[in-house]
Amino acid sequence: MESNEESPRADIRAIEQDCARLIARYANLNDAARWEELAALYAEDGRMARPSAPDQWIVGRAAILAAFQARPSRVTRHFCSNIVIEVIGLDEAEGESAMLLFTDAGAPKVGSFHDRFVRTDDGWRFSERRGSLIF
């Protein structure tokens, strides 16, 4: 049985793992062009800014889905690493991750994501996902 000190640490580790899994799931769904499932990873009022346009927010799950559906078809493979999740509370967390993107349309791109997560009735979701490109 866990001590009282261990229980909060276990909660934090579980939140970190759930949010890191959300980042990986996002990359896999993006590469598979499974837009409905990808958009469902956002809170209903979540917002997203693509790495190529980090100051242009797309707000709301429906608008995020429409933005992905409007993209030209391409083959991609995203690699996410250096994932660090900071737990703010039992229902809120923030994270940062590095991203490497390969496409069939050009040179690889290196960037990062800064995320905010919220726990919903359906589990952890992105409340905000902001990408940026380094090179």
Side-chain angles (χ1 to χ4, degrees), residues 6-131:
E6 186 61 28
S7 182
R9 282 189 233 144
D11 290 342
I12 289 170
R13 284 192 301 269
I15 292 168
E16 290 170 341
Q17 183 177 5
D18 287 350
C19 292
R21 185 178 189 280
L22 196 63
I23 291 169
R25 182 120 177 91
Y26 186 97
N28 290 342
L29 291 171
N30 196 340
D31 292 336
R34 291 166 52 185
W35 308 133
E36 292 85 7
E37 292 170 80
L38 185 142
L41 298 181
Y42 283 89
E44 194 64 44
D45 62 348
R47 67 185 197 156
M48 170 189 87
R50 288 188 168 132
S52 58
D55 296 319
Q56 295 177 7
W57 291 103
I58 302 167
V59 181
R61 188 184 291 162
I64 291 167
L65 174 58
F68 277 103
Q69 289 174 329
R71 286 169 63 167
S73 181
R74 64 181 184 164
V75 177
T76 64
R77 189 64 180 156
H78 292 79
F79 293 89
C80 301
S81 68
N82 302 356
I83 298 170
V84 177
I85 306 297
E86 298 292 335
V87 176
I88 307 300
L90 291 179
D91 296 320
E92 185 181 1
E94 295 179 348
E96 182 177 355
S97 58
M99 180 266 307
L100 174 60
L101 170 63
F102 292 94
T103 73
D104 62 347
K109 293 180 173 64
V110 176
S112 62
F113 281 100
H114 291 83
D115 300 312
R116 292 180 185 268
F117 307 95
V118 63
R119 188 191 313 252
T120 71
D121 291 341
D122 296 320
W124 286 93
R125 297 293 182 260
F126 292 103
S127 60
E128 182 176 293
R129 180 147 240 243
R130 182 180 199 162

